[in-house]
Amino acid sequence: MRLFFFFVLLLSLGSCSTASKTETNPKFSKAVSTFLDELWDLNPDYAASVGLSKYFSRLEIPNEDSRNAKLSFALKQKKIFSDFKNETLSLSEQIDKELILDEIESSAWYIQSFKSYQWNPSLYNVGSDMSSILESQKESATFRFKALSKKLKSVPLYYKTAKKNIYRPTKVHTELALKQSTGLIQFFETTLKELPEKTKISVQEKNIFNSNRLASLEAIKSYIRSLESILKNPSSVGGFRDFRLGKTLYDQKFTSDLKITLTPEQLYKKAIKDKENARKEMYKLAVQLYPKFYGKTKPPRNTQKTIQNVIDKLSLAHPQPKDFVETVKKQIPELIRFVETKKIISLDPKKPLNVRETPIYARGFAGASIDSPGPFEKERETFYNITPLENMTAEESESYLREYNNYTLQILNIHEAIPGHYTQLIYANQSPSLIKSLFSNGTMIEGWAVYTERMMLEEGYGNNDPALWLMYYKWFLRVVTNTILDYEIHNKNLSRKDGMKLMTEGAFQENEEAAKKWTRAEISQIQLCSYYAGFSEIYDLRSIYKDKMKSDFKIKDFNEKFLSFGSIPVQNIKSLMLKEI
Ligand code: ZN
Ligand code: ZN
């Protein structure tokens, strides 16, 4: 229940496909179903985002009443679920109980302590809700049209309330809100404007839709004007606050979001160590590759320069800007072939992946992301969104493509698509446990995707090409650096200048990529740690599992078993997997 967590790149889905042998507790099932009914009622946007069409027409007004209702709901449910004794529950139910209690606590913390509804104006955006309803294949076009028309009616009050909520915002979130709301105008003036003509509906209903759309458009424009005025005169809302969380809030959010056993300091120290190891490996590979690009010229004494010189050469192999989306598309069948022949994990041929250009309203955060259906709309397609480079200057796109070159693009596709996020989400959606599907763990999800990058190379993807391995380590270094960056920004007051150096020199990143990452680090908190945190937990679990299985170890068994429990915290998967042996 990431109530205010708009920056999750994935819709969360989880599962538990292993049938529990223990009887289910009917009282518990009933409590879960009541809990969910009330949850949906309090969070209709969330309900719609997971595919419950009943809530398509509702828009939650983000006011004090709504926050208070959520808090008393949390208090009441905490009591109900704490009262269930573990002895009376099956193992799967015990995990559900834990997930529910965690989510309740987390949602209360977001309202009472984090208070992003005050300082993050970019939370207020109806675009992704509306377009996911449009894209839903669950209901007829007429149903969706009528639902949207009704939803549009609440948009003016929504933005009016949003304006009232803003108090001491950060400058970066105000700027982001301005950018995204401006993009939203386009959605209202094109996609939504054309919708009545494309739908079989009475003239009267078309007219109602249109007047609701125009009133909404005015509300968004007025929100934009108020954001512009805040940027000109921040003292009107109490001035800007620092985007850095500081230790107390950081520690709390770390625990609440990641759900791992390490403390922030422990994870940070582990990352520093892995950074050093990765750089050592990179140096070895660079020395090995040096003659291929520089003939008889000896590599310089300096480690940094040796690695950088080889990366510079390898990065020249990249697609043309106009071919970017197409290049990604073409790699997918190759990955499928490898995963199948090498028996890495079973894939579902009935669930194809649709690679497309990122819709305009969703651009500006990640270059590539998976947009997958929720547990109530399993039949909806999964999209692989790639942002085209058409709006970049020649210089920007060149820098971007040197980062997303022919080597790293393969790693990106492993991560996002096969056998990374896309494959994991298919497994997660086979779930009979709704709770595990709904309250999924982002650390596990990102950790899996990062784990598959190394796993694929270890299994022979790319024929052990030292060039691919070198670029893989560069990519991995980026993941590790994400953690270091996030920690140092919020706890050590890291400046932009030093942050850029950490990325460009420490992790060999292109300027453009590093600048974007800095922006993202200003906007999000903790999320950047989830990749490395999840990876290291999964990688450690695999080596324990390997030791236990000895000669019976098969990579396919590990991968499929690991995913079969759904997107729950790695620590929970660990106890379930090791118990089964
Ligand atoms: Zn080039
Ligand atoms: Zn990812």
Side-chain angles (χ1 to χ4, degrees):
M1 183 167 54
R2 303 263 177 265
L3 303 184
F4 295 109
F5 200 50
F6 271 43
F7 291 117
V8 205
L9 295 184
L10 306 153
L11 246 194
S12 31
L13 318 153
S15 86
C16 182
S17 67
T18 48
S20 175
K21 286 191 184 70
T22 328
E23 297 248 325
T24 54
N25 178 336
K27 273 191 192 152
F28 185 79
S29 312
K30 191 149 182 269
V32 168
S33 117
T34 312
F35 167 79
L36 286 176
D37 283 344
E38 289 184 36
L39 179 78
W40 301 140
D41 206 49
L42 288 166
N43 303 277
D45 304 326
Y46 177 46
S49 77
V50 299
L52 288 172
S53 50
K54 196 176 130 189
Y55 298 91
F56 279 5
S57 61
R58 278 183 53 193
L59 180 65
E60 182 202 337
I61 304 303
N63 58 20
E64 184 86 46
D65 285 350
S66 141
R67 287 187 293 275
N68 285 338
K70 285 177 187 178
L71 282 175
S72 47
F73 167 72
L75 261 173
K76 186 180 81 184
Q77 295 294 338
K78 190 180 174 177
K79 168 101 182 66
I80 291 171
F81 282 95
S82 308
D83 282 352
F84 278 101
K85 294 209 167 58
N86 278 345
E87 307 87 80
T88 67
L89 303 172
S90 72
L91 190 62
S92 174
E93 287 170 336
Q94 288 175 35
I95 294 175
D96 283 359
K97 172 186 150 182
E98 222 171 288
L99 293 174
I100 289 173
L101 287 173
D102 271 353
E103 284 304 321
I104 287 170
E105 199 172 322
S106 169
S107 69
W109 178 80
Y110 269 92
I111 295 173
Q112 289 175 307
S113 305
F114 199 57
K115 295 188 177 176
S116 46
Y117 65 89
Q118 291 183 340
W119 56 259
N120 183 358
S122 76
L123 289 181
Y124 306 111
N125 186 338
V126 294
S128 60
D129 279 349
M130 297 215 163
S131 67
S132 70
I133 290 166
L134 270 182
E135 274 155 17
S136 165
Q137 286 160 14
K138 209 170 178 193
E139 302 289 348
S140 68
T142 319
F143 178 96
R144 283 180 274 138
F145 180 89
K146 283 184 183 168
L148 272 182
S149 185
K150 213 168 160 196
K151 199 180 174 91
L152 281 170
K153 223 188 261 174
S154 310
V155 171
L157 182 59
Y158 173 93
Y159 279 105
K160 201 178 154 196
T161 313
K163 271 194 246 171
K164 269 191 215 151
N165 283 348
I166 297 172
Y167 172 66
R168 292 191 62 223
T170 77
K171 188 163 184 260
V172 283
H173 291 97
T174 310
E175 285 164 347
L176 178 69
L178 182 59
K179 192 176 161 192
Q180 290 186 335
S181 304
T182 309
L184 193 58
I185 296 277
Q186 207 179 335
F187 174 69
F188 271 74
E189 283 179 343
T190 55
T191 314
L192 285 187
K193 190 181 177 189
E194 291 154 11
L195 195 62
E197 295 319 312
K198 291 177 180 164
T199 319
K200 277 189 190 142
I201 209 100
S202 71
V203 176
Q204 198 197 352
E205 273 175 301
K206 280 180 187 175
N207 289 340
I208 295 173
F209 181 92
N210 224 10
S211 76
N212 290 345
R213 181 184 67 86
L214 289 172
S216 302
L217 200 51
E218 270 322 299
I220 298 166
K221 284 180 181 165
S222 154
Y223 188 58
I224 289 175
R225 284 194 298 274
S226 79
L227 294 171
E228 283 166 343
S229 109
I230 289 170
L231 286 166
K232 269 193 218 111
N233 179 21
S235 62
S236 64
V237 284
F240 286 130
R241 79 178 63 198
D242 191 355
F243 68 91
R244 297 166 209 273
L245 291 187
K247 186 170 162 44
T248 311
L249 271 186
Y250 189 86
D251 282 3
Q252 288 171 357
K253 194 170 194 277
F254 188 93
T255 311
S256 175
D257 289 359
L258 295 185
K259 302 193 170 67
I260 61 168
T261 46
L262 301 181
T263 65
E265 288 72 26
Q266 285 167 332
L267 186 73
Y268 173 66
K269 281 185 184 145
K270 204 172 180 213
I272 298 274
K273 220 182 192 173
D274 263 342
K275 176 183 173 182
E276 282 161 16
N277 291 338
R279 287 182 54 104
K280 271 183 206 152
E281 286 302 318
M282 289 172 85
Y283 180 64
K284 275 190 236 161
L285 292 160
V287 169
Q288 189 189 339
L289 286 161
Y290 218 82
K292 194 176 163 190
F293 297 108
Y294 294 98
K296 289 197 173 109
T297 314
K298 282 248 151 53
R301 285 259 162 83
N302 178 315
T303 315
Q304 182 77 24
K305 273 202 184 122
T306 303
I307 301 172
Q308 189 67 63
N309 286 352
V310 177
I311 285 177
D312 285 348
K313 291 288 184 190
L314 292 174
S315 304
L316 296 176
H318 64 73
Q320 291 303 304
K322 65 173 175 33
D323 301 329
F324 185 64
V325 179
E326 209 41 49
T327 308
V328 171
K329 255 185 207 175
K330 278 189 193 143
Q331 278 179 10
I332 303 298
E334 285 170 41
L335 286 169
I336 294 176
R337 215 172 304 131
F338 181 83
V339 165
E340 282 176 347
T341 36
K342 291 283 173 151
K343 297 194 168 59
I344 304 289
I345 189 166
S346 311
L347 302 172
D348 186 350
K350 290 195 295 288
K351 302 253 156 64
L353 180 62
N354 186 341
V355 188
R356 68 168 182 188
E357 294 190 358
T358 311
I360 289 162
Y361 65 85
R363 293 183 191 180
F365 193 57
S369 64
I370 290 287
D371 175 5
S372 53
F376 300 104
E377 39 153 26
K378 288 179 196 171
E379 63 284 5
R380 206 257 275 159
E381 273 179 300
T382 298
F383 296 106
Y384 183 9
N385 289 338
I386 313 283
T387 306
L389 313 182
E390 59 201 19
N391 291 328
M392 288 186 180
T393 65
E395 206 180 321
E396 280 167 350
S397 69
E398 176 62 22
S399 171
Y400 186 83
L401 287 164
R402 276 200 301 260
E403 188 79 23
Y404 290 88
N405 53 60
N406 292 349
Y407 299 98
T408 47
L409 259 187
Q410 297 178 65
I411 316 273
L412 174 78
N413 286 329
I414 291 173
H415 176 110
E416 296 293 338
I418 291 163
H421 288 317
Y422 160 71
T423 305
Q424 192 263 324
L425 290 159
I426 300 260
Y427 273 80
N429 255 356
Q430 290 163 356
S431 156
S433 161
L434 204 45
I435 292 300
K436 293 182 193 71
S437 302
L438 295 167
F439 302 150
S440 63
N441 179 254
T443 317
M444 181 274 180
I445 292 173
E446 284 308 340
W448 168 262
V450 174
Y451 155 77
T452 60
E453 299 167 8
R454 182 171 296 188
M455 184 265 291
M456 286 284 276
L457 264 66
E458 285 173 345
E459 296 301 317
Y461 179 79
N463 297 317
N464 264 315
D465 178 2
L468 186 60
W469 268 107
L470 176 63
M471 293 309 252
Y472 159 76
Y473 273 117
K474 175 172 132 73
W475 198 266
F476 179 66
L477 210 49
R478 195 171 79 168
V479 165
V480 174
T481 304
N482 281 348
T483 292
I484 299 172
L485 183 72
D486 193 64
Y487 183 88
E488 292 193 355
I489 282 178
H490 294 287
N491 293 288
K492 294 184 150 192
N493 212 22
L494 182 75
S495 66
R496 188 180 191 279
K497 188 165 164 266
D498 290 343
M500 288 295 288
K501 202 175 154 192
L502 182 72
M503 291 183 275
T504 53
E505 287 180 25
F508 308 96
Q509 289 177 23
E510 293 286 335
N511 262 317
E512 202 64 34
E513 176 77 12
K516 264 195 194 159
K517 184 56 64 65
W518 177 264
T519 306
R520 178 169 163 189
E522 284 181 326
I523 291 165
S524 71
Q525 317 85 17
I526 309 294
Q527 203 269 339
L528 281 174
C529 297
S530 63
Y531 306 82
Y532 175 68
F535 162 81
S536 67
E537 286 205 316
I538 296 172
Y539 210 72
D540 291 350
L541 168 59
R542 195 184 68 176
S543 76
I544 297 171
Y545 182 87
K546 227 175 187 168
D547 286 347
K548 292 212 181 232
M549 296 302 283
K550 298 198 176 75
S551 61
D552 286 337
F553 175 82
K554 283 196 189 72
I555 192 72
K556 189 163 181 273
D557 291 346
F558 173 82
N559 289 339
E560 290 178 0
K561 198 159 278 176
F562 181 84
L563 292 189
S564 72
F565 302 102
S567 320
I568 62 174
V570 179
Q571 291 310 314
N572 295 92
I573 299 178
K574 184 179 175 182
S575 59
L576 291 165
M577 271 182 96
L578 300 181
K579 207 175 172 175
E580 270 186 22
I581 299 172

